[in-house]
Every structure is written in structure tokens, then in C-alpha cells.
Amino acid sequence: MALNIGSKLDSVMARIRQAAEQARAEMAAAAQSVKEPLPDSPDAKALNPAEGRYLDSFEEERAKKMGLPSLAAPPPPGTDPAASAVPANEATQAQKEEGWNAPQTTVAQTSKKGCAEATLTYLEQSSAEEAAPLTQQEAREKVRNKADTLATSETAGVKDRVQVNLDDGATPDEMGAMLGSMGIKVTNGFDECNTDALSGALKKGQMALALVDSNALLNTTLAEGEKGPDSGELHWLTIDGVNPGKTKSTDDDLYRVRDPVNGAYWVKASDLKKSIAQAQEKHDSGGVMTVKKDRSANTKEEREALARTNLEHTQQLGKGNGGASRRLSVSESS
């Protein structure tokens, strides 16, 4: 009898040790998943190597998962709902024809003020002409080099109009100048969300950049009890997709954004409008600029001229021309 009881105790202890080992393995796996970048998803975050945790440009802690199901377009009648869960992007083919080769993964920002650099890095990858696609690191280094050149060049004709410095974010003028140095033309700029112009540009193969109030955009995806403060910070993101709504009005459209904090997700036109309107109200800056590849700007001189031309379309998004005062009007810009 004693031998039988001892065997049972040994078996129980073995199961306890096995469970403990499994729990430790699961904890280690969970810890590792927080240290490494996640796949492109609504709650992907940029990693701060110094702190070993993900950062958010408008929250102190990790953002909650975005409510994607509420943002997805309903499946057309007679189709498989599972196959229609993600809205169809009607800009994709036209963008390929215009020379864009956008990567599947959104570039995450690596600092609290890094959304401008991340947005430019994504566009650098998308517009690159190299035979082999640029890695994020390669594209980021190209962006930084171009920013340094614009900041120090005495011949570009940009330094006297705007001081380019991506370390503390970017004003609309800085973004326009940087885009020009990358061979990207700003075709239009608005201090609001003009959905007719935005949807039309996307369907013609262009892309867009938006300067929004981060909290206003995030709060549109959260339940009432989960929403943060009404106002956040100015935040740059890319718009690379459009899906028409049920009516002929573009006010019904959905837009896919590439958010350096939260990955790729779809937003309603009304929500995008709200986040831009709040950016203007709270920060005296915000809006949308549509952009396209300029294949005629190939030399250094041509791209510097394009950088100057782009500034004609960035004024509408807010203040920010050169000098020490450029941060005063958009002091929270990321």
C-alpha cells in the first residue's frame, strides 16, 4: 500500500513539474513577443532598443487592439463573408502602373517623435527603383542622408525657407522638401479631408500623407469606456488605399492608412475628417497632401527644384517655415 501511494505521489509531482516547466516556457515566449516587432497589425509598435519595450507616440502604454471588424466594409451580397472581411483596395493596380512598389509591412517609428521619418521611409521603399527591394534599414538611411543634405546644402535653395530636422518630428514644409529630395511630387495639399480629391488621387495611382490628431483617430476605433483624452499629438501617417462606399458620395469611402504606431488598418472617411479637423483646432496644423512619383526628377538639381516646388502645396497644412519659430506652431508635431 505504501509503495502504491508513493508511486501516485511521484506521478502527481511529475505532473506539477511538467506544468511548471510549461508555464515558464509560455512566459518566456510571451516576453520574447513583446521584445520583437510584431507582424503588420493594428497594435504593432516601434521598438525602443534602450528600453526594450514598444513605444506609442500618443500613449504612455501599449495601445489597445484597434476595432477592425467595425471598420471593414460589409461583404457584397452572394459572396463568402470570410473572403470579404478586408476591404478591396482600388488603388493598388493604378499605383503599380505609376511605379510604386509598396512593401506589405508598415514602417514602425523608433522614437516618440519618429512618425515623420517612418512615413518617409515607407515612401522611400515604395518608390525605390533598385532591382532588389530596399530593406527598412536601407530606406531609413537614405531618408536620413537626404535630410542631412537638405539641412546643410547651400545650393538647394531650401535651407533659407525651411530647416529640415527629422529628429524632433517634421512640419508640412519639411515633409514637402524631403519628398522632393526623394523624387516625389506633392500634387495637392488641403487643411481638411477633401474626400473627392483624395479618393480621385488614390484611384489614379497616387498616395497621400495625412497629419492628424492621434487621439482623435485612435478614439474612433475604441469602445466608449476605452477612449483616451480627446486631444493627442500631431501624427503623420500614409494613406495608400481606398474602398468606395455604398453611395456615390466619397464621404462613404474607406481609406487604408499606414500608421507608424499601429500598423495598417482601414478608417472611415468621417473618422479621418474628424482627426484632421481636430488637429487644426487643437494644434493649428493638419491636413492631407497627395503625392506621386516624378520620373522626370532624376538629377540632384532636379530633385532640389522639386523640393522647392513642393513647398507651394504644404502651406495649407499649417505653419512651419524655418527659424526657431517653426516648432512653436506645431510644437507637438511627430
Side-chain angles (χ1 to χ4, degrees), residues 129-180:
E129 299 287 350
E130 283 82 356
L134 293 177
T135 65
Q136 285 192 15
Q137 183 59 32
E138 289 170 338
R140 196 182 297 273
E141 288 176 0
K142 282 180 173 289
V143 167
R144 287 173 176 167
N145 289 338
K146 289 169 182 175
D148 290 342
T149 298
L150 283 177
T152 58
S153 175
E154 299 293 343
T155 61
V158 175
K159 185 179 177 182
D160 59 334
R161 299 177 63 181
V162 55
Q163 296 179 5
V164 176
N165 174 18
L166 301 182
D167 290 339
D168 59 348
T171 65
D173 281 351
E174 287 175 287
M175 293 297 271
M178 279 299 302
L179 290 168

Side-chain angles (χ1 to χ4, degrees), residues 168-285:
D168 59 348
T171 65
D173 281 351
E174 287 175 287
M175 293 297 271
M178 279 299 302
L179 290 168
S181 73
M182 295 160 57
I184 298 175
K185 180 179 183 179
V186 178
T187 58
N188 226 328
F190 310 95
D191 61 359
E192 58 184 11
C193 183
N194 183 328
T195 55
D196 287 341
L198 176 57
S199 294
L202 290 167
K203 290 177 182 178
K204 290 178 181 177
Q206 298 185 30
M207 290 202 188
L209 281 71
L211 184 58
V212 305
D213 183 288
S214 55
N215 278 17
L217 187 65
L218 182 65
N219 283 341
T220 63
T221 69
L222 299 176
E224 195 60 40
E226 299 176 334
K227 295 183 179 181
D230 290 339
S231 180
E233 298 180 4
L234 286 173
H235 185 58
W236 284 105
L237 43 82
T238 309
I239 303 174
D240 72 341
V242 59
N243 180 269
K246 295 180 179 180
T247 70
K248 293 182 178 180
S249 171
T250 55
D251 287 339
D252 245 3
D253 287 359
L254 294 175
Y255 298 110
R256 186 173 68 179
V257 302
R258 296 278 184 175
D259 185 332
V261 169
N262 295 300
Y265 54 96
W266 289 84
V267 297
K268 299 175 184 177
S270 58
D271 292 337
L272 186 60
K273 282 185 174 183
K274 179 180 177 182
S275 65
I276 291 172
Q278 185 153 312
Q280 281 287 345
E281 178 184 351
K282 300 293 185 179
H283 312 294
D284 193 29
S285 194

Side-chain angles (χ1 to χ4, degrees), residues 4 38 55-56 65 80 92 136 138 169 188 204 212 253 322:
N4 194 22
L38 302 175
L55 290 175
D56 186 308
K65 190 173 181 64
D80 179 9
T92 301
Q136 285 192 15
E138 289 170 338
N188 226 328
K204 290 178 181 177
V212 305
D253 287 359

